[in-house]
Amino acid sequence: MSAPSPLPLSSPSTQESIIEVELNGTLFTNLLAGLYSVVYLGTLFICWTGKSAQRRRFIIFIITLLYMAYLLNFVDQWYSFKIFIANGVSTGRVTSITGSSTLISNISSFLLSSLADTLLIWRCFRVWDDSLRIILLPLSLLVVEVGVYLSIIIKASVEHLNPSRPQARILDNLIAAGMFTTFACTLTTTILIIYKIYPITHREKGQRNTAQRCKHILIILTESAALYSFAALAWAIASIIPLDNTRVTSLLAAQNYTGDLFSCVAGMAPTIMVARVTLSATYNTVIHPSTLIEFQAPSISSKGIHSDEGDRVVSPHDIEKGVWD
């Protein structure tokens, strides 16, 4: 959602178009909220009824925080739409969304993106055998991301949640900067994970089940990160384009829809990934029991595989540990 500012209205037809945009945006949010709720509850059921539920407590805690942050945004959307309609009835014209509502929406987006990126960086950290040096760049991008969002909250508060048009434009640019940073952080972390996992699919060619399982986990991680990155990039592009009288309706629709989509995807993409990995592990346990023997063979210990030179090489067990721990 863009920063609050007086909307550049010029005619009753423009006002009707903006009302239609807000109504369609609310319906779109309701659809996403219902879909996310089904995904979240289904994932909880899969995790708690599967094996090693105790091992997944941290992941369950994170996806629950993501869902609660999205619910905060969803409730705020309902309330802001109610105020939007009430103000239109009382004043006879369309007014901008209240500053407090926009602030809550931005805080929710901040929590969602920060939690999602933190979870992805944690997976990268575990897959790379707890190497802080490897995750320095993603951590730096995460710090920048948090700093940008904090500056948005502070600046909006200094403006008493009612900034002027120029100040609102600055806030929109900061939102875009935060989304571009999120995109860079997610892309960098995903590349690091792929770089670590991909070689094992070739090293384990003699053990087909192991190689297939590693490829499947790699695909799941990549698809989840790609969906999240695309949503962040789309919102960043929409936010950086300024509103004007000639295209206010289309740009407002783009900002609202991409913002709503990002809020949902930031929470739902990691949740879907958790469910898919859990189902994949259950399937391999039932259908391919020999895979468990391969994972626990003496040559593949919990410390990983060692090459002839003594260097540690990531093992399939490390990959699963990186996804879950």
Side-chain angles (χ1 to χ4, degrees):
M1 184 178 292
S2 59
S5 62
L7 294 175
L9 305 179
S10 57
S11 65
S13 61
T14 303
Q15 298 187 41
E16 291 178 3
S17 298
I18 292 177
I19 292 175
E20 183 179 356
V21 168
E22 293 295 338
L23 177 59
N24 292 337
T26 301
L27 294 176
F28 182 59
T29 302
N30 293 342
L31 176 64
L32 293 178
L35 180 62
Y36 188 5
S37 297
V38 172
V39 169
Y40 170 71
L41 294 176
T43 303
L44 279 187
F45 176 79
I46 291 171
C47 291
W48 283 116
T49 57
K51 294 183 178 180
S52 304
Q54 298 292 328
R55 180 181 171 188
R56 300 169 182 150
R57 282 187 175 181
F58 174 74
I59 299 296
I60 293 174
F61 175 71
I62 294 297
I63 65 174
T64 299
L65 286 181
L66 287 168
Y67 183 67
M68 297 303 295
Y70 180 76
L71 283 185
L72 174 66
N73 181 70
F74 174 68
V75 172
D76 173 70
Q77 289 273 31
W78 265 102
Y79 177 76
S80 64
F81 183 71
K82 177 181 177 181
I83 298 299
F84 177 82
I85 296 298
N87 288 343
V89 172
S90 61
T91 62
R93 66 187 298 271
V94 176
T95 57
S96 61
I97 296 174
T98 61
S100 59
S101 177
T102 303
L103 180 63
I104 293 175
S105 177
N106 289 334
I107 291 175
S108 173
S109 299
F110 161 65
L111 292 174
L112 284 165
S113 61
S114 299
L115 286 172
D117 288 338
T118 300
L119 185 58
L120 188 61
I121 291 174
W122 174 253
R123 292 192 183 106
C124 181
F125 175 71
R126 298 299 289 161
V127 166
W128 278 89
D129 195 27
D130 301 350
S131 174
L132 287 174
R133 179 178 58 86
I134 292 297
I135 63 171
L136 278 180
L137 180 56
L139 275 180
S140 300
L141 291 171
L142 179 61
V143 170
V144 172
E145 177 185 334
V146 172
V148 170
Y149 273 106
L150 288 178
S151 66
I152 294 173
I153 297 172
I154 293 172
K155 186 170 183 58
S157 300
V158 170
E159 297 293 332
H160 305 289
L161 305 182
N162 188 29
S164 62
R165 287 292 299 280
Q167 295 297 326
R169 184 66 249 153
I170 293 175
L171 289 174
D172 280 344
N173 289 337
L174 287 174
I175 292 174
M179 289 298 100
F180 280 124
T181 307
T182 297
F183 173 77
C185 180
T186 304
L187 182 62
T188 302
T189 309
T190 304
I191 290 175
L192 289 173
I193 294 176
I194 292 174
Y195 181 78
K196 187 67 172 179
I197 296 179
Y198 184 74
I200 198 174
T201 62
H202 296 276
R203 192 180 70 242
E204 300 293 333
K205 283 184 177 179
Q207 301 181 26
R208 183 179 176 184
N209 291 337
T210 301
Q212 287 181 343
R213 189 167 184 176
C214 292
K215 286 182 180 179
H216 188 55
I217 292 176
L218 184 61
I219 291 173
I220 291 174
L221 288 170
T222 304
E223 289 177 348
S224 174
L227 182 62
Y228 174 53
S229 299
F230 172 78
L233 184 62
W235 191 19
I237 295 174
S239 298
I240 206 171
I241 303 175
L243 293 173
D244 55 43
N245 288 312
T246 60
R247 49 184 180 178
V248 57
T249 304
S250 58
L251 288 179
L252 184 63
Q255 290 179 359
N256 286 351
Y257 293 156
T258 54
D260 294 340
L261 182 63
F262 171 79
S263 297
C264 181
V265 169
M268 190 163 61
T271 305
I272 292 176
M273 191 214 67
V274 170
R276 292 179 65 188
V277 171
T278 306
L279 291 174
S280 175
T282 302
Y283 173 82
N284 278 280
T285 301
V286 175
I287 304 300
H288 303 294
S290 59
T291 304
L292 297 179
I293 299 176
E294 294 168 0
F295 286 171
Q296 297 173 2
S299 59
I300 306 179
S301 67
S302 60
K303 298 297 183 180
I305 305 173
H306 292 264
S307 63
D308 295 337
E309 291 79 10
D311 297 329
R312 187 185 182 282
V313 182
V314 67
S315 71
H317 176 77
D318 294 325
I319 295 175
E320 292 190 321
K321 187 176 182 181
V323 171
W324 280 120
D325 288 359

